[in-house]
């Protein structure tokens, strides 16, 4: 009888818990979401029911109950990744750094998980199947207390609190408790109270929070030893820093999230940055983005967001298999909505269309939309970008028509090749310049070249003054009217940094003369990079750098190049020009460059082009050709 009474009592508490949940959050769709989460918990269900029951005993715990419901409803899909290799890695790091805070661990434990193919098959352990009730209760109690007592959070909505402070995990690390000493909101709060300081915004809190807590984690950013990955010190990348910052800020009472660009639309790669959520500002994070031109910006979330559902036949891009990303593009840039028609009569209509951008030498899906009545609607697309409508047929990505340019004013221009009106192309680069690359070249302007027979350059003669550099970051050639014979040569720009990629010397027979590198600072090892015939290594020396030939050498010609990305046209390399036709990329011509430019005759106008360097290099961009000029996209 006693056993039956316990069972009935437990069932009553469960019923009471669910009833309270229904009353608090509405009876339309949310209860089914909670029940679905409970069903997915399997044998761990009693731990979650314990949490809900714990907060259903008193009306004073209504916020805690709402917080618990939020965490449990959105818990399916949150998980840790592990295998024997990852376990060894974690044990090694714990052994090497026994004093590492849990805040730092949330970054460090995720380092090997950023490349999932490197560590073999990984086991996914769902939080909802293993999380303990007491763990959740402790975390929720601490978080609610933080929200109530940190006066800088008084204007933060409960919804934003749940999304940007409450979550207990960062990415795929094991479940870790919040640090209770060093990284504590109580530490920050007590410091403010001590100084009688009342911050006016969350941004004010963020600006002084790190100094209040000290710099005990700085050692990890200077270089952390990870034997299982590399023999050298590991340098945190932008995502590592974001994981650390996210945990640090949330633990100390600052709402934060990670925003990211899954693929730049004008260059290779992607980018992540940390944002703070401040109710006072509409958006105070644009500067963290580094460059505002992009197709899409997404935010990592704890709550679920809509994703395409596979029909079992056509692939879904990995980006959109993740329900924990939210589109926040319009918070950063001007956007437009685009409607795309289904144009393939030969294939059955897919469930979804995608807009792709050219990234890492391939079309990369960046936005998705369901197809309805042969049309797909895409919201909040970045402007001044070339898109290609795509879809999946099985595991293959296929174009749906031609690429188009969404211009800066939000107008669409289809890039359909006009073969009836061919044009002539002259190309000097395969990848666009930017402002900091131009600075590399500008650092050489005003430099003067001296020569002497004395190592201190006493009685030096000025041989040449650099007034211009190659606009494509390629070589410039200096041919002397009369050969000059000296032992020591240097390039000078007092009190300035000289960004020099390569410097070569030739005699009257155009034979290259080699020597020993020298510089204004004997500890500057970069000077050797200026004389290694490798344009992708460079010297960043102050005031001057030079060369000692060991004896007098007669010099007739010099070639120099600023620090460069190596994306100018290189003589001897084989280049392939393609344009985007109805069925994809079509090669126009392949030829070997004989100089620092390459030309193609009778190519279609109004087309989208791609110049490949088949000899070397991975940085290449699509472009259009307008008014005799290459426009990279």
């Amino acid at each position: 009888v006693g056993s039956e009474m316990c069972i009935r009592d437990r069932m009553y508490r469960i019923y009471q818990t669910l009833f309270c949940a229904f009353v608090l959050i509405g009876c339309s769709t949310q209860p089914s979401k909670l029940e679905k989460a409970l069903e997915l918990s399997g044998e761990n269900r009693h731990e979650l029911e314990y949490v809900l029951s714990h907060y259903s005993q008193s009306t004073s715990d209504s916020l805690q109950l709402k917080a618990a419901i939020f965490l449990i409803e959105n818990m399916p899909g949150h998980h840790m990744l592990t295998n024997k290799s990852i376990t060894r890695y974690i044990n090694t790091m714990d052994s090497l750094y026994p004093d590492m805070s849990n805040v730092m661990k949330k970054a460090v434990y995720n380092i090997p998980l950023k490349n999932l193919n490197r560590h073999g098959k990984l086991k996914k352990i769902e939080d909802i199947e293993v999380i303990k009730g007491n763990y959740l209760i402790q975390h929720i109690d601490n978080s609610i207390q933080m929200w109530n007592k940190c006066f800088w959070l008084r204007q933060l909505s409960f919804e934003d609190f749940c999304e940007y402070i409450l979550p207990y995990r960062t990415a795929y690390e094991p479940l870790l408790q919040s640090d209770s000493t060093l990284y504590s909101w109580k530490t920050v709060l007590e410091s403010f109270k001590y100084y009688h300081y009342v911050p006016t915004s969350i941004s004010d809190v963020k600006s002084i929070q790190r100094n209040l807590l000290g710099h005990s984690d700085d050692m990890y950013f200077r270089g952390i030893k990870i034997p299982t990955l590399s023999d050298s010190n590991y340098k945190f990348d932008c995502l590592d820093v974001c994981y650390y910052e996210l945990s640090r800020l949330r633990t100390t009472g600052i709402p934060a999230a990670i925003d990211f660009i899954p693929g730049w639309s004008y260059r290779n790669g992607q980018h992540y940055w940390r944002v703070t959520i401040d109710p006072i500002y509409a958006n105070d994070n644009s500067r963290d983005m580094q460059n505002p031109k992009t197709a899409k910006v997404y935010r990592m979330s704890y709550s679920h967001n809509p994703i395409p559902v596979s029909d079992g036949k056509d692939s879904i891009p990995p980006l959109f298999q993740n329900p924990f990303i939210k589109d926040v593009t319009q918070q950063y840039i001007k956007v437009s909505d685009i409607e795309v028609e289904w144009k393939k009569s030969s294939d059955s209509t897919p469930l979804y269309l995608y807009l792709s951008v050219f990234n890492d030498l391939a079309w990369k899906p960046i936005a998705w939309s369901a197809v309805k009545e042969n049309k797909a609607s895409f919201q909040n697309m970045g402007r001044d970008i070339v898109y290609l409508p795509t879809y999946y047929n099985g595991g293959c990505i296929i174009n749906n028509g031609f690429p188009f340019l969404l211009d800066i004013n939000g107008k669409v221009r289809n890039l359909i090749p006009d073969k009836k009106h061919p044009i002539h192309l002259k190309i000097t680069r395969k990848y666009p310049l930017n402002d900091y690359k131009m600075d590399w070249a500008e650092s050489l302007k005003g430099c003067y070249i001296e020569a002497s027979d004395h190592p201190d350059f006493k009685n030096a003669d000025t041989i040449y003054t650099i007034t211009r550099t190659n606009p494509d970051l390629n070589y410039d050639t200096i041919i002397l009217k009369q050969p000059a014979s000296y032992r020591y040569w240097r390039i000078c720009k007092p009190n300035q940094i000289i960004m020099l990629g390569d410097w070569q010397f030739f005699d009257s027979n155009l034979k290259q003369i080699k020597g020993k590198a020298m510089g204004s600072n004997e500890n500057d090892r970069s000077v050797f990079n200026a004389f290694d015939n490798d344009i992708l290594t460079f010297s960043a020396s102050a005031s001057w750098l030079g060369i000692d030939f060991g004896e007098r050498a007669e010099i007739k010609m010099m070639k120099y190049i600023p620090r460069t990305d190596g994306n100018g046209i290189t003589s001897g390399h084989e280049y392939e020009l393609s344009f985007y036709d109805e069925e994809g990329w079509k090669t126009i011509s392949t030829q070997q460059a004989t100089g620092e430019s390459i030309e193609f005759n009778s190519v279609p106008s109004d087309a989208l082009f791609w110049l490949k360097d088949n000899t070397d290099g991975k940085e290449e961009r699509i472009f259009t050709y307008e008014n005799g000029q290459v426009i990279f996209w």
Side-chain angles (χ1 to χ4, degrees), residues 395-551:
C396 299
I397 186 170
I398 304 173
N399 65 302
N400 175 49
F402 291 98
F404 64 87
L405 169 65
L406 178 64
D407 71 17
I408 197 67
N409 297 312
K411 295 182 179 179
V412 171
R413 175 163 68 94
N414 293 311
L415 299 174
I416 302 175
D418 183 354
K419 301 174 185 178
K420 295 182 179 180
H421 300 87
I423 56 175
H424 173 84
L425 267 64
K426 181 178 181 180
I427 307 172
T428 57
R429 282 184 60 85
K430 62 184 179 67
Y431 200 80
L433 285 172
N434 53 34
D435 53 350
Y436 66 82
K437 291 180 182 179
M438 291 171 63
D439 287 341
W440 299 343
E442 288 294 313
S443 75
L444 294 189
K445 285 187 177 181
C447 287
Y448 52 92
I449 296 174
E450 290 184 333
S452 174
D453 288 323
H454 304 279
D456 60 358
F457 286 87
K458 182 176 65 175
N459 300 322
D461 292 326
T462 300
I463 305 299
Y464 188 81
T465 299
I466 298 175
T467 59
R468 62 176 294 277
T469 55
N470 191 300
D472 299 305
L473 300 189
N474 232 321
Y475 277 104
D476 275 295
T477 300
I478 303 170
I479 300 177
L480 303 179
K481 293 181 179 180
Q482 296 294 330
S485 182
Y486 297 91
R487 174 175 174 175
Y488 302 98
W489 293 70
R490 71 177 180 180
I491 184 170
C492 309
K493 196 174 186 180
N495 302 316
Q496 300 289 323
I497 299 297
I498 303 170
M499 307 292 282
L500 188 62
D502 194 42
W503 192 11
Q504 300 176 5
F505 296 82
F506 301 86
D507 62 16
S508 297
N509 297 318
L510 299 185
K511 178 184 177 181
Q512 187 173 357
I513 308 298
K514 293 281 192 175
K516 181 181 179 181
M518 55 193 297
S520 58
N521 182 350
E522 61 181 13
N523 296 319
D524 180 12
R525 308 301 298 174
S526 78
V527 296
F528 296 98
N529 296 334
F531 305 99
D532 61 1
N533 283 14
D534 184 350
I535 64 173
L536 294 180
T537 63
F538 63 93
S539 171
S541 301
S543 296
W544 68 269
L545 70 152
I547 191 169
D548 173 10
F549 290 121
E551 60 184 6

Side-chain angles (χ1 to χ4, degrees), residues 21-272:
F22 298 167
V23 171
L24 283 168
I25 61 177
C27 301
S28 55
T29 58
Q30 295 300 332
S32 62
K33 186 177 179 182
L34 178 61
E35 179 58 31
K36 181 178 179 180
L38 291 172
E39 290 175 357
L40 290 172
S41 64
E43 296 180 359
N44 197 50
R45 180 168 181 148
H46 68 282
E47 295 285 347
L48 304 178
E49 289 173 342
Y50 169 66
V51 175
L52 296 171
S53 175
H54 174 80
Y55 289 127
S56 298
Q57 307 304 313
S58 171
T59 56
S60 63
D61 289 335
S62 61
L63 284 180
Q64 284 87 338
L65 179 58
K66 290 178 69 175
I69 291 170
F70 172 83
L71 289 177
I72 295 171
E73 282 184 338
N74 292 286
M75 196 176 292
H78 290 287
H79 58 272
M80 69 171 287
L81 293 171
T82 187
N83 61 14
K84 291 182 179 179
S85 172
I86 300 301
T87 300
R88 285 195 301 270
Y89 165 79
I90 290 176
N91 291 338
T92 299
M93 299 312 294
D94 288 346
S95 176
L96 287 174
Y97 303 99
D99 299 325
M100 185 186 297
S101 67
N102 281 357
V103 165
M104 181 56 70
K105 286 179 180 179
K106 287 188 176 184
V108 171
Y109 287 176
N110 277 294
I111 288 173
L113 299 175
K114 293 183 300 180
N115 187 343
L116 301 182
N117 296 324
R118 183 184 297 171
H119 301 281
K121 188 175 181 180
L122 290 164
K123 181 181 179 181
K124 183 186 295 186
I125 301 177
E126 294 283 346
D127 293 355
I128 203 156
E129 296 177 356
V130 298
I131 202 165
K132 299 302 180 184
N134 286 331
Y135 175 95
L136 272 182
I137 289 171
Q138 181 180 354
H139 178 79
I140 292 169
D141 285 348
N142 179 66
S143 299
I144 292 293
Q145 188 183 17
M146 178 198 306
W147 190 50
N148 286 330
K149 291 196 172 184
C150 293
F151 39 78
W152 58 87
L153 295 176
R154 64 189 181 276
Q155 298 183 58
L156 188 72
S157 69
F158 184 74
E159 290 73 18
D160 282 348
F161 161 79
C162 287
E163 190 67 72
Y164 301 121
I165 285 185
L166 181 62
Y168 54 85
R169 71 155 53 254
T170 298
Y172 307 114
E173 74 281 357
L175 295 174
L176 299 172
Q177 294 283 358
S178 296
D179 287 273
S180 58
T181 52
L182 176 62
Y183 290 103
S184 170
W185 58 270
K186 295 177 182 178
T187 304
V188 179
L189 181 62
E190 289 304 315
S191 297
F192 285 161
K193 287 182 176 179
Y194 177 81
Y195 287 103
H196 306 289
Y197 174 66
V198 179
T200 59
S201 70
I202 290 172
S203 293
D204 291 342
V205 180
K206 180 186 70 173
S207 66
I208 63 175
Q209 174 253 16
R210 179 167 169 79
N211 289 330
L212 287 175
L213 295 178
H215 299 267
S216 61
D217 284 338
D218 287 359
M219 57 175 286
Y220 303 106
F221 289 95
R222 288 192 292 268
I224 185 170
K225 203 77 171 178
I226 303 182
T228 55
L229 293 183
S230 172
D231 292 332
S232 59
N233 286 350
Y234 177 83
K235 301 295 184 182
F236 278 30
D237 62 20
C238 61
L239 184 55
D240 300 324
V241 173
C242 283
Y243 285 156
Y244 171 78
E245 289 278 300
L246 184 72
S247 180
R248 177 175 68 88
L249 292 174
R250 287 180 174 177
T251 302
T252 50
I254 299 175
I258 297 174
D259 287 357
F260 68 100
I261 293 168
W264 289 107
S265 54
Y266 68 97
R267 62 180 172 91
N268 296 337
Q270 54 193 12
H271 183 51
Y272 300 82

